[in-house]
Amino acid sequence: MNTGIIDIIEKVTEIFKTFLKRGDYRQTPERFAILKEIYHKDSHFTIEELYEDMLNKKFRISRATVYNTIKLLLKSNLVVKHQFDDNSAHFEKTFKTKQHGHMICTICKKVIEFQDTELYHIQKGVEKNFGFEVHSTTLTFYGLCKDCLKN
Amino acid sequence: MNTGIIDIIEKVTEIFKTFLKRGDYRQTPERFAILKEIYHKDSHFTIEELYEDMLNKKFRISRATVYNTIKLLLKSNLVVKHQFDDNSAHFEKTFKTKQHGHMICTICKKVIEFQDTELYHIQKGVEKNFGFEVHSTTLTFYGLCKDCLKN
DNA sequence: TTACCTGCAAAGGGTTTGCAGAGTC
DNA sequence: GACTCTGCAAACCCTTTGCAGGTAA
């Protein structure tokens, strides 16, 4: 499992390097450190969580740099952004990650992921019908989870 | 067409009245005026847009009341909230409105709606598989619209 | 009459911006 | 060496909150 993660991080680092070169962006240690941290995570995160995780690992960094780098990662499609129904944006890595949706419990705020193949068909449908080119997708169901339904 | 709107507004006003009574909320003129304004709209709106529209119609109201009333309308399911990729929340009426998704062009910011029947199947699927009870849904595709693809 | 609701203004929280110093190319 | 990037802090915008006066029940 660990070797898998290392391989993936190597790969996305390459992709990011290429992206930076092409866009005339500089290759700073902060940018690679943030990418690495994100790809070590298994789940969603907010900017604040990412920022604190890096501080905890004694990596000296500022919020502004995290915001700046996330923008580049979004542009390079290595990360996607989700705006759930709270005030802060949530992010996820994309490389080697399957397309999925989210269920959010409006009581306990839990976020549950689910895989779906039909989603892909819907996407193909709108691309065909509207001449729209889809870059990223957010499917979110809000409601009550199993545990909260019991109460 | 106009009679259709009037009928619908009468109907949702009744629904809202019942909701307010049941929840021991007061029936204030502001609340009904906001509901009416929303159901006169054809499309998405932000709090700020709604607020300004009401001011333009010489209805004296405050932002705080708009925020407060929107919460009640969400609770009564007469309005849904969408968090697109900008900072402000977007809202829509729900009554007599079909389930649909949104495509958002990341360049021109245009929001295009599309109907989809498959979405309902996905919803049924997660309800069955996860014991989750879905109350509302947001499906959003981000990408490039036909017009922006030309350039 | 008794809460609750409204309007106003200030506070709060996430994100962006401006600027000086550091680091990439 | 030029110019971008970083870190810090202040500014910004949307939303929430506190309080005094008004209003529905």
Side-chain angles (χ1 to χ4, degrees), chain B:
Chain B
M1 199 51 168
N2 237 349
T3 55
I5 288 178
I6 290 171
D7 288 349
I8 285 176
I9 287 177
E10 225 166 77
K11 183 76 186 162
V12 292
T13 302
E14 277 317 304
I15 294 173
F16 197 35
K17 269 187 188 165
T18 307
F19 167 82
L20 292 174
K21 271 181 207 155
R22 289 216 179 121
D24 268 324
Y25 300 112
R26 291 188 177 164
Q27 304 192 26
T28 67
E30 289 83 2
R31 288 174 177 174
F32 292 117
I34 289 170
L35 175 64
K36 201 169 160 183
E37 178 64 29
I38 289 172
Y39 270 80
H40 269 294
K41 290 181 182 304
D42 285 320
S43 183
H44 313 88
F45 58 91
T46 61
I47 294 285
E48 194 60 24
E49 286 162 4
L50 178 55
Y51 171 66
E52 304 231 316
D53 285 348
M54 300 202 67
L55 290 193
N56 288 338
K57 295 189 178 168
K58 310 297 173 208
F59 197 95
R60 190 168 167 281
I61 203 166
S62 75
R63 275 190 193 80
T65 300
V66 178
Y67 277 102
N68 166 34
T69 303
I70 277 282
K71 270 185 201 154
L72 293 172
L73 290 169
L74 288 170
K75 227 176 196 165
S76 62
N77 290 313
L78 289 167
V79 164
V80 283
K81 179 177 183 175
H82 296 288
Q83 278 289 155
F84 298 147
D85 192 5
D86 54 357
N87 292 330
S88 50
H90 295 242
F91 301 87
E92 288 181 297
K93 59 189 175 186
T94 54
F95 189 75
K96 294 270 183 190
T97 306
K98 285 186 187 157
Q99 194 174 39
H100 60 270
H102 299 102
M103 291 172 281
I104 300 181
C105 179
T106 49
I107 292 182
C108 70
K109 311 296 173 193
K110 192 162 36 189
V111 179
I112 308 162
E113 286 188 10
F114 64 91
Q115 302 292 330
D116 196 283
T117 47
E118 282 183 80
L119 191 46
Y120 185 72
H121 298 134
I122 298 179
Q123 177 180 326
K124 286 295 144 198
V126 303
E127 291 192 321
K128 192 178 159 197
N129 293 332
F130 294 89
F132 194 89
E133 183 182 296
V134 173
H135 292 167
S136 76
T137 302
T138 292
L139 171 59
T140 310
F141 293 116
Y142 297 95
L144 300 181
C145 71
K146 212 193 296 183
D147 297 335
C148 289
L149 273 171
K150 285 180 197 158
N151 311 326

Side-chain angles (χ1 to χ4, degrees), chain A residues 31-126:
Chain A
R31 289 175 176 175
F32 292 118
I34 289 170
L35 175 64
K36 202 170 160 182
E37 178 65 28
I38 289 172
Y39 269 80
H40 270 296
K41 290 182 181 304
D42 286 321
S43 183
H44 313 90
F45 58 90
T46 61
I47 294 285
E48 193 60 25
E49 285 161 4
L50 177 56
Y51 171 66
E52 304 232 316
D53 284 349
M54 301 203 66
L55 290 193
N56 288 339
K57 295 189 179 170
K58 310 298 173 207
F59 196 95
R60 188 168 167 282
I61 204 167
S62 76
R63 274 190 193 81
T65 300
V66 178
Y67 277 102
N68 165 34
T69 303
I70 277 282
K71 270 184 201 156
L72 293 173
L73 290 169
L74 288 169
K75 227 176 198 168
S76 62
N77 289 314
L78 288 167
V79 164
V80 283
K81 179 177 183 176
H82 296 288
Q83 278 289 154
F84 297 147
D85 191 6
D86 53 357
N87 292 328
S88 51
H90 295 243
F91 301 87
E92 289 182 296
K93 58 189 175 188
T94 54
F95 189 75
K96 294 270 183 193
T97 305
K98 286 186 187 155
Q99 194 174 40
H100 60 271
H102 299 102
M103 292 172 281
I104 301 181
C105 178
T106 48
I107 292 182
C108 70
K109 312 296 174 193
K110 192 161 39 191
V111 178
I112 309 162
E113 286 186 10
F114 64 90
Q115 302 293 329
D116 196 283
T117 48
E118 281 183 83
L119 191 46
Y120 185 72
H121 298 135
I122 298 179
Q123 177 181 325
K124 285 296 144 197
V126 302

